Amino acid sequence: MQARLAADIAAAEDLDALEALRVTTLGKAGSITALLKSLGAMTPDERQAQGPQIHALRETITAALAERKAALDAAALDIKLAAEAIDMTLPADAAPKGSVHPVSQVMDELAEIFADMGFAVATGPEIEDDWHNFTALNIPETHPARAMHDTFYFPDKDAEGHAMLLRTHTSPVQIRTMMEKAPPIRIIAPGRVYRSDSDATHTPMFHQVEGLVIDRGIHMGHLKWTLETFLKAYFERDDIVLRLRPSYFPFTEPSAEVDVGYKQEKGRRIVGGHGDDDGHAWMELLGSGMVNRRVIANCGLDPDEWQGFAFGVGVDRLAMLKYGMDDLRAFFDGDLRWLAHYGFGALSVPTLSGGISA
Ligand code: PHE
């Protein structure tokens, strides 16, 4: 019986067949279980004579079952491994990679350029109160920027009963910084701003970078040098020529609109050169000026001791000029094909040494 059983087990074709053999031998009603049970009904002599053989049979069969199971498991694993073999010679699937949005790219470039000149990055809320967005910046109640059709107001009111609003510029960050930090101050403040405007060159939400310097003895020469150094680094060319045009902002005095020389090439504006040179023209790029004494005083600083300059520039516009996009609205359409066309490497960080737009 032992030899036949052992042969059957060794010949079991699969795990199911092997399990069936286990049940008929060692299972509850199995033949070997029955033999083991019969020991209880034997006389001590009979038990002494037959016990060792029956136990030995059980051990042999148990071992045979385990051995066959191990062999069948190993064979099943071999089949599985053969089926799942990886062909190392196949080209790898391309890993999906995101890309940096041009607005983020340009903001990173500006942060890097200004960090090199000792400017920190400051931020403020996009939902502002009337005081920070207008009053502290010396913008009078009657100023057109406060009109309902120019600005998005909320039903909620601030502590003084004025409606809260989506900030119309990054200039309130000037106020927040002067209120929080003691001068000297050198910051840029990139962020979203909102105006009730919509066409090919205006979107209701767009991006600005504010610049602010407050220190002793600051004058317009510092402003011009800073803007020139920034624009040369940003456009990655030395022939940037600026023209400062007298202008008006309530929060700067004097104020200057800053133009750059450019020329038209293959339907694109290429920044560089003197705007009065042949084939060149001037284009308005940003607003700037010396921080108004009233603004400095509104922030609790003594304007006789502290002076400074400020500027504000459109990030989207800077991106369009450098990278050649022609429709501002495409920036915010969320079209992945546009992003792929103009998108930047997910892992490339602009640095002055490694390349600003590399
Ligand atoms: N806040 C102004 C604007 O949005 C720009 C500006 C900033 C002008 C700082 C002068 C100084 O148009």
Side-chain angles (χ1 to χ4, degrees), residues 168-171 174 195 208 210-211 249 251-252 287-289 310-312:
T168 58
H169 50 180
T170 42
S171 301
Q174 288 188 37
R195 286 183 206 171
Q208 285 188 333
E210 192 83 4
F249 298 102
F251 35 92
T252 47
S288 68
F311 60 87

Side-chain angles (χ1 to χ4, degrees), residues 1 5 21 23-36 57:
M1 170 168 162
L5 266 178
L21 284 167
V23 170
T24 55
T25 51
L26 297 172
K28 248 190 204 163
S31 52
I32 296 175
T33 309
L35 286 174
L36 284 164
L57 173 65

Side-chain angles (χ1 to χ4, degrees), residues 15 21-22 25 27 36 49 52 54 61 66 71 74 94 124 156 158 192 199 242 280 304 309 317 335 338:
L15 290 167
L21 284 167
R22 189 193 66 79
T25 51
L36 284 164
I54 292 173
I61 295 308
D156 312 72
D158 63 21
R192 291 190 191 98
D199 58 42
L242 300 188
H280 287 70
D304 287 329
F309 65 79
R317 207 165 136 64
D335 186 334
W338 184 87

Side-chain angles (χ1 to χ4, degrees), residues 268-320:
R268 258 189 76 176
R269 288 181 175 196
I270 307 294
V271 174
H274 195 286
D276 292 337
D277 282 353
D278 261 4
H280 287 70
W282 295 109
M283 152 176 60
E284 183 186 314
L285 197 59
L286 56 95
S288 68
M290 301 306 294
V291 180
N292 193 308
R293 291 173 59 86
R294 290 198 197 172
V295 173
I296 292 179
N298 285 344
C299 297
L301 298 173
D302 176 3
D304 287 329
E305 182 177 6
W306 302 107
Q307 305 78 43
F309 65 79
F311 60 87
V313 56
V315 174
D316 319 280
R317 207 165 136 64
L318 281 180
M320 289 169 86

